[in-house]
Amino acid sequence: MVWQKGIVDFFELFALFIPSVIYWLIPAFIMLLTAPKIQPEPMSETVEVKQGGYVVIGLFLFTIAITIVGHNFLHLPPMLGMMTGLGILKLYGYKLKLDESKRIPHIGGPEAAGMQSSAQRIDKPFDIFKSMERSE
C-alpha cells in the first residue's frame, strides 16, 4: 500500500526483505521449539488439480506482473493492472464454466438417472463468480 501511494519506490521495498525474513524466522524458530513433536496421519486420497487450475495460477502471476510493470514503467495506477487481471480471470472462469457444464451431467437429468452407483460424485461446474463471492 505504501508503494501504491507513492511513498516508497518499488525497488526500495527490497530493502525491507532482510528485516522481514528475520522477523519471520524468529517466531518460526520459537514455534519450532514449543510445538509438540507429533505428526498427523498422511492423507490417503489423491488430490487432482481441476482443468484450468494451472492457468488460473498463471493468470495470478500475470496480474501481479502487469500491475508492477504498468506502474513502474508506464506510470499507470496499480488498480488498473489489478482490475485488468481480475477481468481476464473472470473471462477465463466463465469459459471454464461453459466447458465444464457441457461435460458434466446435470443433477436430475436423464444422464444422471442412468448412473450405476450412488457413490459416484456429480461435480458442479466451476463458477468464478461464486469463488470471488466467497473470498469477499
Side-chain angles (χ1 to χ4, degrees):
M1 293 200 169
V2 293
W3 168 66
Q4 288 181 345
K5 280 286 232 186
I7 298 170
V8 176
D9 186 57
F10 175 73
F11 296 104
E12 290 175 342
L13 287 175
F14 288 113
L16 298 174
F17 179 74
I18 292 174
S20 297
V21 169
I22 291 171
Y23 284 116
W24 176 80
L25 282 174
I26 292 172
F29 182 72
I30 293 170
M31 287 188 284
L32 177 70
L33 296 176
T34 60
K37 305 290 188 233
I38 59 173
Q39 290 185 350
E41 293 182 27
M43 291 177 45
S44 61
E45 67 182 74
T46 304
V47 179
E48 294 180 19
V49 177
K50 281 190 161 188
Q51 179 184 356
Y54 293 116
V55 176
V56 170
I57 292 170
L59 286 174
F60 167 73
L61 296 173
F62 174 74
T63 299
I64 300 299
I66 64 170
T67 300
I68 293 170
V69 168
H71 183 67
N72 281 338
F73 300 114
L74 302 175
H75 305 291
L76 297 172
M79 178 270 315
L80 187 63
M82 295 302 283
M83 291 297 111
T84 301
L86 180 63
I88 294 170
L89 176 65
K90 290 270 195 172
L91 289 172
Y92 184 71
Y94 184 69
K95 179 196 174 303
L96 282 177
K97 180 181 178 181
L98 290 178
D99 291 347
E100 283 188 4
S101 63
K102 291 176 186 173
R103 286 184 287 125
I104 298 173
H106 297 288
I107 298 173
E111 300 91 358
M115 294 186 125
Q116 300 288 332
S117 168
S118 63
Q120 277 185 309
R121 192 178 77 186
I122 299 175
D123 290 330
K124 293 181 183 176
F126 175 74
D127 190 357
I128 188 66
F129 300 104
K130 286 290 181 191
S131 298
M132 294 301 292
E133 180 182 302
R134 282 194 312 263
S135 70
E136 288 296 321

Coordinates of all heavy atoms in Angstrom, one line a residue, residues 1-16 68 71-73 75:
M1 N 0.8 -1.2 0.0 CA 0.0 0.0 0.0 C 0.9 1.3 0.0 O 0.5 2.2 -0.6 CB -0.9 0.0 1.2 CG -2.0 -1.1 1.1 SD -3.3 -0.7 2.2 CE -4.5 -1.9 1.7
V2 N 2.0 1.2 0.7 CA 2.9 2.4 0.6 C 3.4 2.6 -0.8 O 3.7 3.7 -1.2 CB 4.0 2.3 1.7 CG1 3.4 2.4 3.1 CG2 4.8 1.1 1.5
W3 N 3.6 1.5 -1.5 CA 4.1 1.5 -2.9 C 3.0 2.2 -3.8 O 3.2 3.0 -4.6 CB 4.4 0.1 -3.4 CG 4.7 0.1 -4.8 CD1 5.7 0.7 -5.5 CD2 3.9 -0.7 -5.8 NE1 5.6 0.3 -6.9 CE2 4.5 -0.5 -7.0 CE3 2.8 -1.4 -5.7 CZ2 4.0 -1.0 -8.2 CZ3 2.3 -2.0 -6.8 CH2 2.9 -1.8 -8.1
Q4 N 1.7 1.8 -3.5 CA 0.6 2.3 -4.3 C 0.4 3.8 -4.1 O 0.1 4.5 -5.0 CB -0.7 1.6 -4.0 CG -0.7 0.2 -4.6 CD -2.0 -0.5 -4.3 OE1 -2.8 -0.1 -3.4 NE2 -2.3 -1.6 -4.9
K5 N 0.7 4.2 -2.9 CA 0.5 5.7 -2.6 C 1.7 6.5 -3.1 O 1.6 7.7 -3.1 CB 0.4 5.8 -1.0 CG -0.9 5.6 -0.5 CD -1.9 6.7 -0.8 CE -2.5 7.2 0.4 NZ -3.6 8.1 0.2
G6 N 2.8 5.9 -3.5 CA 3.9 6.6 -4.0 C 4.8 7.0 -2.9 O 5.8 7.8 -3.1
I7 N 4.6 6.5 -1.6 CA 5.5 6.9 -0.5 C 6.9 6.2 -0.7 O 7.9 6.8 -0.4 CB 4.8 6.5 0.8 CG1 3.5 7.3 1.0 CG2 5.8 6.8 2.0 CD1 2.7 6.9 2.1
V8 N 6.9 5.0 -1.1 CA 8.1 4.2 -1.3 C 8.1 3.7 -2.7 O 7.1 3.3 -3.3 CB 8.1 3.0 -0.3 CG1 9.3 2.1 -0.5 CG2 8.0 3.4 1.1
D9 N 9.3 3.8 -3.3 CA 9.5 3.3 -4.7 C 9.5 1.7 -4.6 O 9.8 1.1 -3.6 CB 10.9 3.8 -5.2 CG 11.1 3.4 -6.7 OD1 10.2 3.8 -7.5 OD2 12.1 2.7 -6.9
F10 N 9.2 1.1 -5.7 CA 9.1 -0.4 -5.8 C 10.5 -1.0 -5.4 O 10.5 -2.0 -4.6 CB 8.7 -0.8 -7.2 CG 8.7 -2.3 -7.3 CD1 7.8 -3.1 -6.7 CD2 9.7 -2.9 -8.0 CE1 7.8 -4.5 -6.9 CE2 9.8 -4.3 -8.2 CZ 8.8 -5.1 -7.6
F11 N 11.6 -0.5 -5.8 CA 12.9 -1.1 -5.5 C 13.3 -0.8 -4.1 O 14.1 -1.6 -3.6 CB 13.9 -0.6 -6.6 CG 13.6 -1.1 -8.0 CD1 13.0 -0.2 -8.9 CD2 13.7 -2.4 -8.3 CE1 12.7 -0.6 -10.2 CE2 13.4 -2.9 -9.6 CZ 12.9 -2.0 -10.5
E12 N 12.7 0.2 -3.5 CA 13.0 0.4 -2.0 C 12.4 -0.6 -1.2 O 12.8 -0.8 0.0 CB 12.5 1.8 -1.6 CG 13.3 3.0 -2.2 CD 12.8 4.3 -1.9 OE1 11.6 4.4 -1.5 OE2 13.5 5.3 -2.1
L13 N 11.4 -1.3 -1.7 CA 10.7 -2.3 -0.9 C 11.7 -3.5 -0.7 O 11.5 -4.2 0.3 CB 9.4 -2.8 -1.6 CG 8.2 -1.9 -1.6 CD1 7.1 -2.5 -2.4 CD2 7.8 -1.7 -0.1
F14 N 12.6 -3.7 -1.6 CA 13.6 -4.8 -1.4 C 14.5 -4.6 -0.2 O 15.0 -5.6 0.3 CB 14.4 -5.0 -2.7 CG 13.6 -5.6 -3.8 CD1 13.3 -4.9 -4.9 CD2 13.1 -6.9 -3.7 CE1 12.6 -5.4 -6.0 CE2 12.4 -7.5 -4.7 CZ 12.1 -6.7 -5.9
A15 N 14.7 -3.4 0.2 CA 15.4 -3.1 1.4 C 14.7 -3.7 2.7 O 15.4 -3.9 3.7 CB 15.7 -1.6 1.6
L16 N 13.4 -3.9 2.6 CA 12.7 -4.4 3.7 C 12.7 -6.0 3.7 O 12.2 -6.6 4.6 CB 11.2 -4.0 3.6 CG 11.0 -2.5 3.7 CD1 9.6 -2.1 3.5 CD2 11.5 -2.0 5.1
I68 N 2.8 -4.4 -11.6 CA 4.1 -3.8 -11.3 C 4.7 -3.1 -12.5 O 5.2 -1.9 -12.4 CB 5.1 -4.8 -10.7 CG1 4.6 -5.3 -9.4 CG2 6.5 -4.3 -10.6 CD1 5.3 -6.5 -8.8
H71 N 2.8 0.1 -13.4 CA 3.0 1.2 -12.5 C 4.4 1.8 -12.6 O 4.6 3.0 -12.7 CB 2.8 0.8 -11.1 CG 2.9 1.9 -10.1 ND1 2.0 2.9 -10.0 CD2 3.8 2.1 -9.1 CE1 2.4 3.8 -9.1 NE2 3.4 3.3 -8.5
N72 N 5.4 0.9 -12.7 CA 6.8 1.4 -12.7 C 7.2 2.0 -14.1 O 7.9 3.0 -14.1 CB 7.8 0.3 -12.4 CG 7.8 0.0 -10.9 OD1 7.5 0.9 -10.1 ND2 8.2 -1.2 -10.5
F73 N 6.8 1.4 -15.1 CA 7.3 1.9 -16.4 C 6.4 2.7 -17.2 O 6.8 3.6 -18.0 CB 7.8 0.7 -17.3 CG 8.9 -0.1 -16.6 CD1 8.6 -1.4 -16.2 CD2 10.1 0.4 -16.4 CE1 9.6 -2.1 -15.5 CE2 11.1 -0.3 -15.7 CZ 10.9 -1.6 -15.3
H75 N 3.7 4.3 -15.6 CA 3.1 5.2 -14.7 C 1.6 5.1 -14.6 O 0.9 6.1 -14.5 CB 3.6 6.6 -14.9 CG 5.1 6.7 -15.0 ND1 5.9 6.5 -13.9 CD2 5.9 6.9 -16.0 CE1 7.1 6.7 -14.2 NE2 7.2 6.9 -15.5

